[in-house]
Amino acid sequence: SHNLTVRELADLLNTPETDIIKSLFFKGIAVNITQSLELETARAVAEELGVKVETPEIKSAAAKETEMLDAADLDNLQTRPPVVTIMGHVDHGKTTLLDSIRQSKVAQGEAGGITQHIGAYHVDIEHNGNQQQIVFLDTPGHEAFTAMRARGTRVTDIAILVVAADDGVQPQTREAISHAKAAEVPIIVAINKIDKPESNPERIKQELTELGLVAEDWGGDTIMVPVSALKGENLDNLLEMILLVAEIEELSANPDRLAKGTVIESNLDRARGPVATLLVQNGTLRVGDNIVAGSVFGKIRAMVGDRGNKVEAATPSFAVEVLGLNDVPEAGDEFDVYPTEKEARVVAEARAEQQRDSRLQQAMSSRRITLSSLS
Ligand code: GTP
Ligand code: MG
């Protein structure tokens, strides 16, 4: 392996050399343009500037799960709850399913807890004699997948494909399957509306077989659970299957480091300022942390959970609403925590500058196209 100079790294990252020098300066490393950097240092700088560095030496299946883990995390991995997205055709029962899971499970939790819309729900489940959790994302499945594909990250571990047993496979069913397959996310099929007399689960299995999803009782390996979201029928079985798949996937992360993850939702609240729901995918996020999300930054002033509860620390797979950002980040942006406020500010400002540059470049190139098409 060889070292990179600051200039080579700048070229590689398509970044001004000054940004790299600045970033190193805040790590306590003073360098000039021609100086060589160790690969580890170069990697750290690149990641701070928002560039993902491939780590081919990471072979563990667990590490592949999120692309959020570094080599250093591998010694400290702990099981984390699965993050689940619900997908399916219009009116097949996605919202009803999520609502009825939430009602049956969340209501058993803190009495009187007011559920708050934060874009994700945590559900507690008794499984194999111990308490386990599942996190459901409340973003439309296709949006979550589009954001993921655009940024190359994986925000969901398991996709629940809802297919109404009285309607069968429809265009968005096919689309959901191809999204999940492209992202290599395991699919569990919920054959819904089985309470309807005209429902025909076997016909659904037949149709799905033609799309490459073969039910276990048909000799395949796709878990298919007949449910009625409306009547709450067989939901426990569906939840069990989610935990089973999660176990097989060996989902893990390192809670003992600064947090990183993805922005799930964001908005500007009149009273509270910029608000963002963050999914923690590695590390632990805490009140007081210095955070960069896309090109915005801030010190976390408060965190709110899905039951309107105050949260001090959010461990991997948990979603929290955070206050204290200087602006509204975009859903799908990645976030990182930095040791100091200064570092967070430098990274965020460098990214904002990059975004302005690329917007300017785009504007200029589109102007060239306009001019040449006029001549
Ligand atoms: P979009 O968000 O519009 O894509 O729809 P959705 O997939 O979220 O479907 P939604 O949960 O809104 O359900 C659509 C309709 O189907 C509603 O009238 C539900 O009451 C009904 N429905 C959902 N699940 C069931 C079920 O298990 N049985 C019956 N009989 N009706 C159901
Ligand atoms: Mg809906």
Side-chain angles (χ1 to χ4, degrees), residues 87-124:
M87 309 177 83
H89 194 69
V90 179
D91 276 354
H92 278 199
K94 302 178 290 295
T95 303
T96 308
L97 180 63
L98 191 57
D99 283 352
S100 99
I101 288 171
R102 195 159 53 110
Q103 262 167 30
S104 67
K105 293 298 166 187
V106 172
Q108 297 166 6
E110 298 131 58
I114 302 154
T115 55
Q116 171 155 340
H117 178 89
I118 68 162
Y121 301 107
H122 307 144
V123 167
D124 294 320

Side-chain angles (χ1 to χ4, degrees), residues 34-334:
T34 55
Q35 200 157 329
S36 285
L37 302 175
E38 304 234 352
L39 281 183
E40 252 342 280
T41 312
R43 180 199 306 280
V45 171
E47 294 197 331
E48 244 179 57
L49 295 173
V51 176
K52 248 211 193 64
V53 180
E54 298 288 358
T55 47
E57 70 268 26
I58 295 180
K59 285 282 165 21
S60 129
K64 215 179 110 260
E65 287 307 327
T66 63
E67 302 175 23
M68 283 274 166
L69 303 181
D70 302 329
D73 293 325
L74 297 185
D75 298 330
N76 210 357
L77 291 179
Q78 291 185 31
T79 304
R80 61 174 178 82
V83 178
V84 176
T85 312
I86 298 179
M87 309 177 83
H89 194 69
V90 179
D91 276 354
H92 278 199
K94 302 178 290 295
T95 303
T96 308
L97 180 63
L98 191 57
D99 283 352
S100 99
I101 288 171
R102 195 159 53 110
Q103 262 167 30
S104 67
K105 293 298 166 187
V106 172
Q108 297 166 6
E110 298 131 58
I114 302 154
T115 55
Q116 171 155 340
H117 178 89
I118 68 162
Y121 301 107
H122 307 144
V123 167
D124 294 320
I125 289 146
E126 182 93 8
H127 179 69
N128 294 342
N130 46 49
Q131 201 70 3
Q132 297 201 20
Q133 279 150 328
I134 302 175
V135 177
F136 287 92
L137 292 187
D138 191 20
T139 43
H142 62 275
E143 273 176 32
F145 274 89
T146 310
M148 274 163 47
R149 280 213 300 203
R151 328 253 162 174
T153 35
R154 210 170 131 161
V155 292
T156 184
D157 302 307
I158 298 169
I160 304 297
L161 177 65
V162 179
V163 187
D166 61 339
D167 195 30
V169 168
Q170 297 297 332
Q172 279 171 274
T173 316
R174 289 198 183 82
E175 203 182 294
I177 294 171
S178 64
H179 277 318
K181 280 189 173 166
E184 293 177 45
V185 170
I187 298 171
I188 296 174
V189 177
I191 301 179
N192 191 29
K193 308 199 185 185
I194 54 160
D195 58 288
K196 286 195 161 185
E198 66 269 37
S199 81
N200 186 349
E202 293 305 300
R203 198 194 90 212
I204 307 303
K205 288 180 189 172
Q206 167 71 50
E207 290 177 358
L208 288 170
T209 298
E210 288 159 21
L211 298 176
L213 295 183
V214 185
E216 289 179 307
D217 55 338
W218 283 42
D221 57 6
T222 303
I223 298 174
M224 299 196 188
V225 186
V227 299
S228 167
L230 193 68
K231 310 258 184 226
E233 224 171 284
N234 220 16
L235 299 186
D236 283 340
N237 191 5
L238 179 63
L239 296 172
E240 282 284 318
M241 290 303 137
I242 294 172
L243 291 175
L244 188 76
V245 172
E247 245 169 57
I248 294 165
E249 295 283 303
E250 294 181 23
L251 305 172
S252 56
N254 172 12
D256 193 21
R257 52 161 283 168
L258 297 177
K260 60 193 297 180
T262 304
V263 178
I264 299 300
E265 284 192 0
S266 60
N267 70 289
L268 185 60
D269 187 283
R270 221 167 222 277
R272 301 184 296 165
V275 175
T277 298
L278 306 181
L279 175 70
V280 178
Q281 292 173 281
N282 198 8
T284 297
L285 186 66
R286 298 172 198 280
V287 171
D289 276 351
N290 300 295
I291 189 172
V292 176
S295 58
V296 315
F297 72 99
K299 194 184 234 342
I300 297 181
R301 200 168 71 225
M303 304 201 295
V304 182
D306 62 341
R307 293 161 212 186
N309 50 314
K310 269 198 176 161
V311 176
E312 283 298 319
T315 50
S317 295
F318 283 89
V320 280
E321 202 178 61
V322 305
L323 308 184
L325 295 168
N326 73 329
D327 203 347
V328 182
E330 274 179 56
D333 278 347
E334 279 182 27

